[in-house]
Amino acid sequence: MSYAPTLIDNVFGGIRPAARALNKAASTIQSWHETGTIPQKHWNDIIIAAAEFGHILTAESFFPLSPQVPAQHGYSFDKPHCLSITDFHRVDIENLLELGGHYLDLSVQKSTREGPLRGKTLVNLFFENSTRTEKSFELAGKRLGADVISMNIGSSSVKKGETLLDTATTLNAMNPDLLVVRHGASGAPALLAQKLSCAVINAGDGMHAHPTQALLDALTLRQKLQETGQKIDKRDIGGLRIAICGDILHSRVARSNVQLLNILGADLRLIGPPTLIPIGAENWGVDIFHDMETGLEGCDVIMMLRLQLERMNGAFVPSKREYYHYHGLTREKLAYAKPGALVMHPGPMNRGVEISSDVADDPEISLITRQVEAGVAMRMAILHALSEAQNRAQIKAAS
Ligand code: CP
């Protein structure tokens, strides 16, 4: 049970006494009781009222001390690693998204030593540059109470020629519980998962997979749909037509999103020039288009991708200018999609290459900032779920 019901019952003696003490409608207190979450703007009033009842509360009192990873249909999340969306069943994804939604509601939660990762060590090992993924895992680990080490590869012994496995084995000797790894080679996190004794989380490997990005994208969309469900007439991802546009060939985000959105039942389209659509993509469960006008027709959501020039050997597009002309998302091209269509981008963005600033920065349609916010919550959920699965496996092994 999360802490809101405990707090309402133990401090105030139930929903009605709490409503009276806080001068709120009983239905408001009941919704906190049912959802397990009290919005932060009310914490101060509650702390003052609780003091009159002889209870000293702090901000940490509102944190669920050990929220349970939800179990859909009695099935608990039991995966040892997070390497690829293809390792998950729909029930795993639903469990993770539900826990992610819980942490999104608590998005302003500060670090706590009482969190479910208390006593655990999280190592961030990034061999490729990152802003969003690395920092959000660091924040997520700290907010859950873990000790977090972020390895700076530039100042590590990797620069002296140490191999990936030797670096990881060295870190493993420090007994981390969770290792978050980004690497330029597809399959590097899976290799580490075979060799190390901790849970491994793939934070992006080559062009292969970026599962936590796909999960946070789904969480962002779900949250937005819950807010605007009536307006766009659909309440879940399964009813949406979603276009993933641009440099599909080099994109691990596109691959993981195609896998996840197919599991959730979306009507999926890939749009890009023929040179940037991978061979075999027609077997991914998607429809493929090469021009934005026909591809965007009837789309509810448009996911734009960065042109990954650093992964290109040779010229895949004539020029950035021409690419923007034909495939960059502008107001004019947005008009080909459904009215009110939502725009996403995993970042980092190249403005004026794959997307115009006025589209990217329009809060009515752009979910780009929300994706970053959901990234912290989703990564909290992933770390928490893996940690609980690890605890259960250790108890089972010891018994
Ligand atoms: N979307 C994403 O992976 O961003 P970073 O490269 O900044 O982590």
Side-chain angles (χ1 to χ4, degrees):
M1 187 165 70
S2 60
Y3 201 50
T6 317
L7 188 150
I8 290 163
D9 294 341
N10 292 357
V11 173
F12 297 105
I15 291 172
R16 291 199 176 278
R20 277 195 296 278
L22 298 168
N23 200 19
K24 301 256 180 256
S27 56
T28 304
I29 310 294
Q30 189 164 7
S31 81
W32 298 348
H33 202 275
E34 281 171 10
T35 60
T37 305
I38 300 175
Q40 195 196 21
K41 64 183 177 187
H42 301 295
W43 292 0
N44 212 27
D45 291 344
I46 293 170
I47 288 169
I48 292 166
E52 290 176 16
F53 282 68
H55 291 270
I56 305 302
L57 303 183
T58 65
E60 289 195 354
S61 308
F62 296 84
F63 190 74
L65 291 181
S66 55
Q68 300 293 307
V69 176
Q72 300 273 348
H73 313 298
Y75 175 93
S76 306
F77 184 90
D78 66 351
K79 302 293 176 196
H81 308 288
C82 175
L83 299 173
S84 167
I85 294 296
T86 53
D87 295 335
F88 295 146
H89 297 293
R90 180 162 186 158
V91 69
D92 299 313
I93 289 163
E94 294 293 352
N95 279 333
L96 289 172
L97 289 175
E98 193 175 329
L99 190 60
H102 171 78
Y103 280 122
L104 201 50
D105 290 340
L106 294 171
S107 63
V108 288
Q109 184 63 51
K110 298 292 179 225
S111 311
T112 171
R113 277 178 289 172
E114 298 301 326
L117 262 64
R118 182 167 47 115
K120 300 230 173 192
T121 302
L122 166 70
V123 174
N124 267 335
L125 188 58
F126 278 65
F127 292 85
E128 283 189 337
N129 294 340
S130 169
T131 300
R132 282 147 282 265
T133 313
E134 182 178 2
K135 294 301 166 218
S136 62
F137 267 116
E138 196 173 315
L139 256 183
K142 286 178 178 167
R143 285 181 177 175
L144 294 173
D147 294 322
V148 182
I149 302 170
S150 287
M151 287 281 298
N152 182 343
I153 296 300
S155 62
S156 74
S157 291
V158 172
K159 284 285 169 203
K160 300 177 196 163
E162 191 168 65
T163 64
L164 166 67
L165 268 182
D166 284 341
T167 300
T169 307
T170 303
L171 291 171
N172 201 43
M174 298 175 198
N175 293 318
D177 301 283
L178 301 130
L179 177 71
V180 178
V181 61
R182 171 172 287 189
H183 200 279
S186 298
L191 177 70
L192 293 179
Q194 286 170 21
K195 303 284 179 188
L196 307 183
S197 50
C198 58
V200 176
I201 298 139
N202 182 358
D205 61 333
M207 304 188 304
H208 173 238
H210 196 349
T212 67
Q213 178 72 45
L215 283 160
L216 79 86
D217 288 344
L219 179 62
T220 309
L221 259 182
R222 275 222 166 140
Q223 188 209 29
K224 181 69 180 173
L225 295 184
Q226 276 163 11
E227 284 173 22
T228 60
Q230 287 182 349
K231 198 159 76 178
I232 70 165
D233 189 30
K234 290 182 178 143
R235 293 196 69 84
D236 208 359
I237 292 169
L240 299 181
R241 176 174 288 176
I242 301 176
I244 305 178
C245 310
D247 185 357
I248 315 288
L249 180 64
H250 300 101
S251 177
R252 53 199 178 203
V253 174
R255 286 171 176 80
S256 287
N257 259 315
V258 166
Q259 291 157 0
L260 180 56
L261 294 169
N262 263 326
I263 291 172
L264 296 179
D267 170 13
L268 278 183
R269 295 178 163 200
L270 302 181
I271 311 175
T275 49
L276 294 178
I277 301 285
I279 292 167
E282 62 279 7
N283 301 319
W284 291 4
V286 296
D287 293 316
I288 296 174
F289 296 83
H290 298 304
D291 72 282
M292 297 287 268
E293 183 166 359
T294 46
L296 289 179
E297 194 183 333
C299 285
D300 300 284
V301 180
I302 308 166
M303 291 185 169
M304 296 307 297
L305 298 172
R306 184 170 66 87
L307 199 57
Q308 297 195 38
L309 296 169
E310 76 279 13
R311 295 194 202 276
M312 295 183 188
N313 293 317
F316 284 73
V317 293
S319 69
K320 286 188 205 168
R321 198 172 155 173
E322 193 166 327
Y323 180 79
Y324 182 63
H325 177 74
Y326 286 107
H327 290 97
L329 188 64
T330 56
R331 286 275 170 205
E332 295 70 41
K333 295 199 194 80
L334 189 60
Y336 300 139
K338 256 194 194 161
L342 300 168
V343 176
M344 303 178 79
H345 192 305
M349 272 185 289
N350 287 320
R351 293 165 184 269
V353 178
E354 69 262 359
I355 192 165
S356 68
S357 283
D358 71 324
V359 171
D361 298 335
D362 181 347
E364 288 295 311
I365 53 165
S366 170
L367 301 183
I368 296 169
T369 306
R370 281 170 175 252
Q371 286 173 270
V372 179
E373 190 190 346
V376 179
M378 195 64 240
R379 284 162 180 142
M380 287 173 83
I382 291 162
L383 294 175
H384 183 173
L386 287 171
S387 170
E388 275 201 10
Q390 193 173 57
N391 293 344
R392 280 196 297 272
Q394 283 164 358
I395 291 167
K396 199 170 162 192
S399 61

